[in-house]
Amino acid sequence: MTEEQTDVFKVFEEDKMLDNVIVPITVNADHVFYFSHVERSEKAISICREFLGRNGTNCSFLLLDEESELEDWFKKYPSAIVDMTGSRYILLRLFELANRYQNPIFYFDSEENTVKNYRARKSMHYPYPLLTIEDIVFLGGGIIQKHIHNAPDLNNKEHCELICRAVEMNLDEYDRFVSYVNSVNSMVGKFDGKSVEISEEAVKKIKNYELTRKMRDLKLFTIEGRSFSYRSKEVKQLFEVVGSWLESYLYIRLKESEMFDDVMMSVVIDFSSRRKTPYPVTCELDLLALRDNQLIFISCKSNKVDSSALYEVKLHSTLFGNKLSSAAVCTAEELDRRNPSIYTKARELGIAVIDRSLLKEGCAKALLDTACGKFEYEEVRS
């Protein structure tokens, strides 16, 4: 590599956006020339152009009528790097001409998740560019718009410990815990201030719940006479959205593990522009975890896992991810025993199942294995 302008020749593939940009940003290209024999969508071109622009890279999209035109570009830019990532026929011509003119040849090896120098037969020595969750979703045609509810503040150690203790002490009968939280929330009703008056019947019922006694030490709420108050506004939100207990627990454990580059909880992705519609088109994702550009789409299910939940998380990983992405479903039930048909379906779809046993052993390691393609399924016995 010289200190002169770095140019890259690349075949543009709109269905593989990561492949389109990974080598150019790795070599810190000044300009990328994308070749194609057919018209590409303006949306895909716009995404690629904007993403590279963030890295200070310009790009041109060239439609070739004749193959002979390609050789003219090699003569015009004799030191251009040829990016061989992809599978199009035109790549063969690029490779042929690159060999004839002895241009540098680079490619992205998705199996080893690294950029390689073809002539050197080894990985580049340049730092590997780590993308963010937002980057990968953007390349998939979406924008992270907002959070449905806030992730736990890891600096609030007391609150994080409370969530983890509450979830872990109820893992063996998590459906009962979900029912309990819903029951308390419904009896308390609308809650706008620091405390609220509830009926004597509600006071009696809440105090007589077995889980109220079991979790007394956590002091999730207090009842004095008919006055009910939650421990904090954060605990109040957990009771109002029962699914956030498991989401928050997983978020805490993944962040604490320091195994991931980034973790996001409860996000809304807007992909209206991708569908060319003036109306909002969004989807909700429980958790996203990123390791070395490998993004995991995670669905948290406090209640029963069904086929629609599997198809949904798989669709999201396909829409907004790439060939490095994976999908997982997390549940507090032993899915392989309680619903072997759904467990088998998840396995067929390539969706990792983080169930009760893996939550107890350590969900972070299981999800890291998912990202790296090393997740091992349980043997389902009929």
Side-chain angles (χ1 to χ4, degrees), residues 160-228:
C160 290
E161 182 182 353
L162 180 146
I163 292 172
C164 293
R165 287 183 62 195
V167 170
E168 289 174 354
M169 70 169 53
N170 289 289
L171 275 177
D172 289 328
E173 295 181 277
Y174 198 74
D175 52 351
R176 187 174 68 149
F177 173 70
V178 168
S179 177
Y180 168 75
V181 170
N182 280 329
S183 296
V184 172
N185 182 59
S186 65
M187 282 187 281
V188 170
K190 189 175 181 181
F191 195 112
D192 294 327
K194 292 184 177 180
S195 64
V196 65
E197 293 291 314
I198 60 177
S199 68
E200 291 184 3
E201 182 183 4
V203 170
K204 185 176 180 181
K205 282 186 176 180
I206 293 174
K207 285 186 174 181
N208 286 334
Y209 278 128
E210 181 184 345
L211 288 184
T212 298
R213 296 190 293 272
K214 178 181 177 180
M215 297 189 293
R216 183 180 290 115
D217 291 345
L218 298 184
K219 298 178 181 178
L220 298 175
F221 54 78
T222 57
I223 300 176
E224 296 181 3
R226 290 176 50 200
S227 177
F228 179 99

Side-chain angles (χ1 to χ4, degrees), residues 13-22 25 47 51 85 108-111 113-114 128-142 269 274 288-297 313-327 349-350 370-371:
E13 300 190 61
E14 63 185 74
D15 58 338
K16 298 178 180 178
M17 294 302 291
L18 180 65
D19 288 359
N20 286 331
V21 302
I22 194 68
I25 63 176
I47 288 173
F51 183 83
T85 307
F108 175 55
D109 186 332
S110 60
E111 291 188 3
N113 191 20
T114 189
Y128 188 76
L130 295 179
L131 306 184
T132 65
I133 291 176
E134 290 95 333
D135 287 336
I136 293 175
V137 171
F138 180 81
L139 288 170
I269 293 181
R274 178 176 181 157
L288 294 166
L290 182 67
R291 169 67 181 261
D292 292 341
N293 292 346
Q294 299 167 114
L295 183 58
I296 315 172
F297 293 76
V313 72
K314 185 66 176 181
L315 176 63
H316 289 159
S317 68
T318 302
L319 276 177
F320 305 113
N322 50 57
K323 58 189 174 186
L324 298 180
S325 301
S326 53
L349 292 171
T370 300

Side-chain angles (χ1 to χ4, degrees), residues 174-175 246 286 298-314 328-347 349 351-356 359:
Y174 198 74
D175 52 351
L246 187 57
D286 296 331
I298 306 167
S299 174
C300 300
K301 289 299 173 185
S302 297
N303 294 309
K304 184 175 71 172
V305 179
D306 56 21
S307 295
S308 63
L310 299 181
Y311 293 135
E312 183 179 49
V313 72
K314 185 66 176 181
V329 61
C330 294
T331 175
E333 67 175 332
E334 290 288 10
L335 198 61
D336 59 325
R337 299 177 188 175
R338 293 189 59 178
N339 202 334
S341 62
I342 290 295
Y343 188 91
T344 301
K345 177 60 69 176
R347 184 171 187 166
L349 292 171
I351 301 170
V353 179
I354 314 300
D355 58 9
R356 184 188 306 159
L359 286 174

Side-chain angles (χ1 to χ4, degrees), residues 361-377:
E361 292 174 12
C363 56
K365 176 60 169 60
L367 285 167
L368 180 62
D369 288 342
T370 300
C372 299
K374 298 178 181 179
F375 181 81
E376 295 185 3
Y377 295 89

Side-chain angles (χ1 to χ4, degrees), residues 43 47 141-143 270-277 279 281:
K43 177 60 181 175
I47 288 173
I143 296 173
D270 186 330
F271 56 108
S272 302
S273 59
R274 178 176 181 157
R275 295 291 177 262
K276 296 183 179 179
T277 170
Y279 306 105
V281 185

